[in-house]
């Protein structure tokens, strides 16, 4: 396997290069982004390891250039804790994964390469199948691209769907647990939505959900993942986010929705369309996706019991905090 390693730190690129060479890979080293791009153009590489901060060309810029040349090259960001937000944004731009440095365990490099090879193998198998089918139907390639998007998107709101959200949450929980990083989850429920549907019809209700998807996407950060969980329920997965930051994000989303001029909003029981938001964070004893979901769900029920249009943080079943009430004091 041809692997390109780009890092302006000689010690890091030499270490990564040696680790991968010992695994039998053909490794090329580059001292910065421009050097890496020139070497990639001269010889195709299946996998690229790149520092995110380099002189002349950043890792994000290198990612964009390489993806223009080779869509399926597996790009792995090497980053410090301080640049994790940028690394998560890189995932949405086509990077396969990121690893944190300094490396707490050198196996993390080998593990990332092995997972990238497995993913590349799966892509190649899929492409082989697509090419075979395309010979029978020239339009299949275009349709397949649409199906890929449909497979992870909710058709009404445009947000990620339940399955994608579930998979993303599991991946982020695993990452947060492994590297002892902050992770928060927002569980969002649209208040009195049945009343809205019964009063104004399902088409008007669908219009509210569609607009809500836009508002939530706009209020969330680039590093967050917003997904429709089902019906009028949504989740926001917030990596590298502690309790205070998560509650601020929840309140920003809640207030933006409350202030938006939805049609018929004044006919709602609260006089406007509103959200109840439950917030939970990774902590001791809370280290599984179902733990976060359970706590955030309990917080939503507490918010509804307190009158709705609120954000409640849940540390445990016996430890809940009404964030909105504190802001109103």
């Amino acid at each position: 396997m041809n692997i390109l390693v780009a890092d302006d730190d000689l010690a890091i690129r030499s270490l990564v290069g040696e680790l991968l060479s010992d695994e039998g890979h053909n490794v090329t080293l580059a001292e910065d982004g421009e050097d890496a791009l020139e070497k990639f153009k001269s010889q195709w590489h299946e996998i690229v390891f790149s520092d995110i901060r380099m002189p002349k060309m950043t890792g994000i810029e290198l990612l964009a250039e390489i993806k223009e040349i080779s869509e399926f090259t597996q790009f792995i960001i090497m980053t410090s804790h301080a640049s994790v937000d940028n690394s998560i944004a890189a995932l949405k731009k086509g990077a396969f994964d990121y690893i944190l440095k300094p490396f707490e365990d050198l196996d993390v490099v080998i593990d990332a390469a092995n997972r990238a090879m497995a993913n590349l193998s799966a892509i190649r198998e899929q492409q082989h199948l697509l090419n075979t089918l395309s010979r029978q139907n020239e339009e299949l390639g275009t349709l397949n691209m649409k199906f890929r998007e449909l497979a992870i998107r909710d058709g009404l709101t445009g947000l990620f769907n339940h399955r994608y959200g579930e998979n993303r949450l599991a991946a982020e929980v695993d990452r947060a647990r492994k590297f002892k990083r902050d992770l928060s989850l927002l569980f969002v429920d649209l208040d009195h939505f049945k009343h809205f549907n019964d009063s104004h019809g399902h088409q008007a209700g669908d219009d509210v959900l569609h607009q809500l998807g836009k508002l939530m996407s706009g209020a969330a950060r680039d590093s967050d993942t917003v997904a429709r969980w089902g019906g009028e329920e949504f989740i926001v997965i917030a990596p590298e986010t502690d309790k205070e930051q998560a509650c601020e994000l929840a309140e920003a989303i809640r207030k933006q929705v409350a202030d938006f001029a939805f049609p018929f909003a004044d006919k709602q029981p609260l006089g406007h369309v509103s959200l109840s938001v439950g917030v939970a964070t990774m902590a001791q004893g809370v280290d599984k996706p179902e733990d976060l979901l359970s706590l955030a769900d309990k917080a939503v029920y507490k918010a509804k019991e307190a009158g709705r249009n609120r954000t409640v943080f849940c540390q445990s079943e016996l430890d809940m905090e009404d964030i909105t009430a504190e802001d109103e004091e």
Side-chain angles (χ1 to χ4, degrees):
M1 187 74 68
N2 291 328
I3 300 180
L4 177 62
V5 178
D7 198 304
D8 58 321
D9 186 326
L10 174 60
I12 292 292
R13 69 173 180 269
S14 298
L15 173 62
V16 174
E18 183 177 349
L19 288 170
L20 296 171
S21 295
D22 289 345
E23 290 294 309
H25 300 296
N26 179 29
V27 179
T28 302
L29 303 181
E31 63 185 19
D32 56 45
E34 287 187 356
D35 184 29
L37 183 58
E38 288 301 315
K39 288 176 176 175
F40 187 89
K41 288 179 178 178
S42 64
Q43 180 185 4
W44 184 70
H45 297 78
E46 291 93 339
I47 301 173
V48 175
F49 282 76
S50 174
D51 186 17
I52 198 166
R53 292 183 176 178
M54 295 184 291
K56 300 181 181 179
M57 178 182 289
T58 68
I60 299 292
E61 291 169 339
L62 178 61
L63 167 63
E65 292 287 344
I66 285 180
K67 284 297 181 179
E68 283 291 323
I69 300 170
S70 173
E71 178 185 359
F72 298 125
T73 291
Q74 304 297 286
F75 200 100
I76 299 169
I77 291 287
M78 297 186 294
T79 183
S80 64
H81 290 304
S83 299
V84 168
D85 280 351
N86 290 334
S87 301
I88 294 173
L91 293 179
K92 296 184 178 182
K93 295 181 180 180
F96 170 70
D97 204 352
Y98 68 85
I99 56 178
L100 298 174
K101 60 180 185 178
F103 309 125
E104 295 181 359
D105 185 345
L106 296 181
D107 285 342
V108 71
V109 176
I110 306 304
D111 179 62
N114 289 339
R115 286 186 288 107
M117 287 190 294
N119 192 58
L120 186 58
S121 177
I123 290 173
R124 286 171 172 170
E125 290 179 8
Q126 183 183 53
Q127 286 303 114
H128 175 71
L129 176 60
L130 288 175
N131 291 337
T132 301
L133 294 174
S134 293
R135 286 193 292 267
Q136 301 173 5
N137 185 350
E138 293 181 358
E139 296 180 356
L140 187 60
T142 301
L143 290 174
N144 187 68
M145 293 297 292
K146 293 180 180 179
F147 290 151
R148 286 181 183 176
E149 185 68 11
L150 289 173
I152 64 172
R153 292 284 179 181
D154 172 62
L156 177 59
T157 63
L159 301 174
F160 290 114
N161 60 21
H162 181 103
R163 181 180 180 184
Y164 183 89
E166 193 172 44
N167 292 338
R168 190 72 240 157
L169 178 60
E172 290 299 343
V173 166
D174 182 65
R175 189 189 305 279
R177 184 172 55 230
K178 183 181 296 183
F179 297 109
K180 297 180 174 56
R181 305 302 298 168
D182 288 323
L183 174 66
S184 294
L185 177 70
L186 280 58
F187 201 104
V188 181
D189 195 301
L190 183 57
D191 294 329
H192 297 297
F193 188 58
K194 184 179 185 302
H195 177 274
F196 192 96
N197 273 335
D198 292 344
S199 301
H200 310 296
H202 288 281
Q203 182 57 57
D206 285 351
D207 291 342
V208 168
L209 291 174
H210 178 72
Q211 183 60 51
L212 182 59
K214 291 183 178 180
L215 292 173
M216 291 185 65
S217 293
R221 305 160 304 181
D222 288 343
S223 57
D224 300 327
T225 298
V226 185
R228 186 181 182 190
W229 201 242
E232 65 270 30
E233 296 178 336
F234 305 83
I235 63 168
V236 181
I237 304 166
E240 298 296 319
T241 303
D242 60 21
K243 170 191 171 182
E244 288 73 21
Q245 294 167 327
C247 290
E248 287 178 6
L249 174 62
E251 281 292 88
I253 293 173
R254 184 189 65 80
K255 290 175 182 178
Q256 188 165 114
V257 171
D259 292 340
F260 188 81
F262 289 94
F264 311 116
D266 58 332
K267 307 297 183 184
Q268 283 292 89
L270 297 181
H272 53 84
V273 172
S274 64
L275 302 176
S276 293
V277 188
V279 180
T281 62
M282 291 276 286
Q284 185 174 3
V286 183
D287 59 358
K288 295 189 288 293
E290 53 267 32
D291 295 337
L292 279 175
L293 285 166
S294 177
L295 289 179
D297 186 51
K298 286 179 173 63
V300 167
Y301 278 101
K302 187 70 174 180
K304 289 187 176 295
E305 289 177 357
R308 295 180 169 84
N309 190 31
R310 322 195 70 73
T311 293
V312 171
F313 175 80
C314 182
Q315 186 69 50
S316 69
E317 292 189 38
L318 301 177
D319 184 6
M320 296 199 195
E321 184 178 345
D322 190 331
I323 304 302
T324 306
E326 293 179 0
D327 290 343
E328 291 173 345
E329 292 178 354

